[in-house]
Amino acid sequence: MFFLLLLAAVVRLRLRCFKEIPTGFQNAIEAAVEAFDNFAARTLGERFSYLFPWFFMAFAFILSSSLFSIVGLRAPTADWTTTAALAFATFVFMFFLGIRYRKGSYLRSFFEPHPIFFPMNLLGELAKPVALSFRLFGNVLSGTIILTLYYALTPYFVQLGPPALLHGFFDVLFGGLQTYIFVIISLMYIKIAADSNW
Amino acid sequence: MQEALFSTQAASAGRVFALDSQTLIGIAIQLVNAAILAVGLGYMLYNPVKDFMRKRTERIQAQMDEADAALAKANSLIAEYDAKLKSIGDERVKVLEAARLEAAEESKEIIAEAKKEAERIRERSLEAVAAYRRRLEEETRLYIIEAASLMAQQIVAQTIDDEAQTKLIEQALADLEDAQWH
């Protein structure tokens, strides 16, 4: 979190020096922001653009958490409270935007196709943030446990070299994949809840 | 050395997961942290960079629109000049044709004038020739009169008296004056 805030502060300070034709650092920042913006706009739609900074934060935070595991730091997402907080925020957005944009039809959807299905529909809605949080938590934790076990159970002479492969697999590949999955599923949940045409 | 090389780290014992008040407090804290991070990233990174890119896009779009307008203007100017060049070609043909007609007209006038002048010269020459001829005829007539007078004088002097001679001479002179010299 501190690293991301520091990066944001650096970007804010260097923004005055940004050029018309981006190079180096400016290019990387612009590419990241533009790629995420396009991705979020395609998935959620431009009318929800006020939510993009939140999901940009989620994306950057989860990805950087996984990448910081490479240097031996424990990923914050290996703690369920972190993933649960992010998933809970998604649930809150989903619920309030559903009511805001669909009003009665969103609440009626809990009673469809028959009022008897209300408990199941309610459970289904409540299960979404739980599944979202546990998916990320489980994946990151499994990678953390495997790496911790590797470091704990292997002799020192094999702890230099082979773990790079494991870090690349669990932290970079799985980390990137789980980040993408968490964000796109969150966006889809919100879109399904808020978009009456879905 | 061998023990140190083959020894392992002790696995750290920690809290992995539990559904209790500590978890709920942890979630609340993480939510607040996430909100702070989202506000920070949105305020300092995401929105300013997006704003910068949007403004740049608008600037570039404005420049492209300006370039398109300039291109359209240039194309219209090219079309206008092409039309002018074409009309200049047509006009050149018209001017040449007019000049040719004017030259032909002027040439006709010059030839007519020359013909008139030649006619005038010819008439003047004919008049001069006629005057010269008249003068020659007059001179010839006078010469012949003179010669005839001399001849008559000599003949008469040999054959007739003075009275008859004078009468004959006057008669001859009268005849000569009445004679036509053409």
Side-chain angles (χ1 to χ4, degrees):
Chain A
M1 182 178 165
F2 175 73
F3 167 78
L4 289 175
L5 284 174
L6 188 70
L7 178 72
V10 170
V11 170
R12 190 75 183 88
L13 287 173
R14 289 190 63 175
L15 192 66
R16 293 179 199 136
C17 312
F18 273 18
K19 298 167 191 162
E20 286 289 299
I21 301 166
T23 50
F25 178 72
Q26 182 190 346
N27 208 2
I29 293 295
E30 282 190 16
V33 170
E34 192 174 15
F36 182 81
D37 196 60
N38 290 338
F39 159 69
R42 273 200 310 272
T43 312
L44 199 55
E46 279 293 342
R47 69 173 172 157
F48 299 107
S49 61
Y50 55 88
L51 286 178
F52 292 176
W54 173 269
F55 286 102
F56 180 73
M57 177 279 298
F59 198 98
F61 179 67
I62 297 168
L63 186 64
S64 61
S65 297
S66 297
L67 295 179
F68 272 110
S69 301
I70 295 171
V71 292
L73 297 172
R74 184 186 162 94
T77 43
D79 186 351
W80 184 68
T81 55
T82 307
T83 59
L86 294 171
F88 180 70
T90 299
F91 177 74
V92 171
F93 287 140
M94 194 172 78
F95 186 74
F96 280 103
L97 292 175
I99 290 174
R100 180 181 169 187
Y101 287 102
R102 287 174 59 194
K103 299 183 174 64
S105 79
Y106 176 68
L107 294 174
R108 270 200 304 279
S109 68
F110 284 92
F111 299 95
E112 286 170 353
H114 191 274
I116 202 167
F117 287 97
F118 172 70
M120 276 186 280
N121 286 333
L122 185 66
L123 273 176
E125 286 297 297
L126 291 174
K128 283 177 180 174
V130 176
L132 199 60
S133 63
F134 273 109
R135 183 183 296 110
L136 180 62
F137 166 66
N139 275 286
V140 177
L141 184 68
S142 62
T144 306
I145 288 172
I146 289 167
L147 282 164
T148 306
L149 283 173
Y150 182 85
Y151 282 119
L153 301 176
T154 53
Y156 280 119
F157 75 95
V158 287
Q159 288 181 11
L160 199 68
L165 197 67
L166 294 172
H167 277 296
F169 188 72
F170 288 112
D171 296 337
V172 179
L173 185 67
F174 265 40
L177 194 66
Q178 287 307 319
T179 305
Y180 178 75
I181 288 170
F182 183 91
V183 173
I184 198 166
I185 289 176
S186 297
L187 294 173
M188 291 309 294
Y189 281 162
I190 292 170
K191 180 142 178 101
I192 291 167
D195 197 343
S196 56
N197 295 324
W198 186 262
Chain B
M1 175 67 184
Q2 196 177 356
E3 275 183 22
L5 195 64
F6 284 95
S7 65
T8 58
Q9 290 178 344
S12 58
R15 185 173 184 277
V16 176
F17 180 73
L19 281 172
D20 51 15
S21 60
Q22 191 186 341
T23 303
L24 293 177
I25 292 167
I27 289 172
I29 291 168
Q30 291 291 357
L31 261 177
V32 172
N33 285 339
I36 292 168
L37 187 58
V39 170
L41 284 180
Y43 179 71
M44 292 191 288
L45 196 154
Y46 191 77
N47 288 331
V49 171
K50 253 184 85 173
D51 203 39
F52 171 79
M53 290 193 294
R54 182 180 54 75
K55 282 179 183 167
R56 184 177 58 194
T57 306
E58 284 171 2
R59 265 200 309 277
I60 291 169
Q61 189 59 48
Q63 285 171 354
M64 282 171 69
D65 290 345
E66 215 172 291
D68 284 345
L71 184 66
K73 195 177 173 186
N75 282 334
S76 73
L77 275 175
I78 287 170
E80 197 179 320
Y81 280 116
D82 280 346
K84 275 185 183 174
L85 282 172
K86 197 180 172 188
S87 70
I88 283 170
D90 293 345
E91 204 166 332
R92 184 177 65 88
V93 171
K94 281 180 189 170
V95 167
L96 278 174
E97 191 60 31
R100 198 173 291 122
L101 287 172
E102 199 177 339
E105 196 66 31
E106 206 167 329
S107 160
K108 278 179 189 171
E109 283 177 12
I110 289 167
I111 289 168
E113 193 65 31
K115 277 181 179 173
K116 282 179 187 171
E117 186 65 28
E119 190 63 29
R120 279 197 294 274
I121 290 167
R122 196 173 71 85
E123 282 173 2
R124 277 202 301 273
S125 301
L126 287 173
E127 281 172 9
V129 167
Y132 184 64
R133 188 176 172 182
R134 279 196 301 275
R135 190 167 56 82
L136 278 179
E137 283 172 354
E138 187 64 22
E139 281 176 3
T140 306
R141 190 175 65 89
L142 292 173
Y143 179 73
I144 289 169
I145 290 169
E146 196 177 341
S149 299
L150 285 173
M151 281 167 62
Q153 194 175 359
Q154 284 174 0
I155 293 167
V156 168
Q158 288 173 4
T159 57
I160 62 174
D161 57 0
D162 288 342
E163 191 183 344
Q165 186 182 347
T166 304
K167 197 177 176 181
L168 279 172
I169 288 168
E170 283 175 357
Q171 181 66 43
L173 286 171
D175 290 343
L176 282 170
E177 279 174 358
D178 293 336
Q180 296 293 320
W181 297 88
H182 295 293

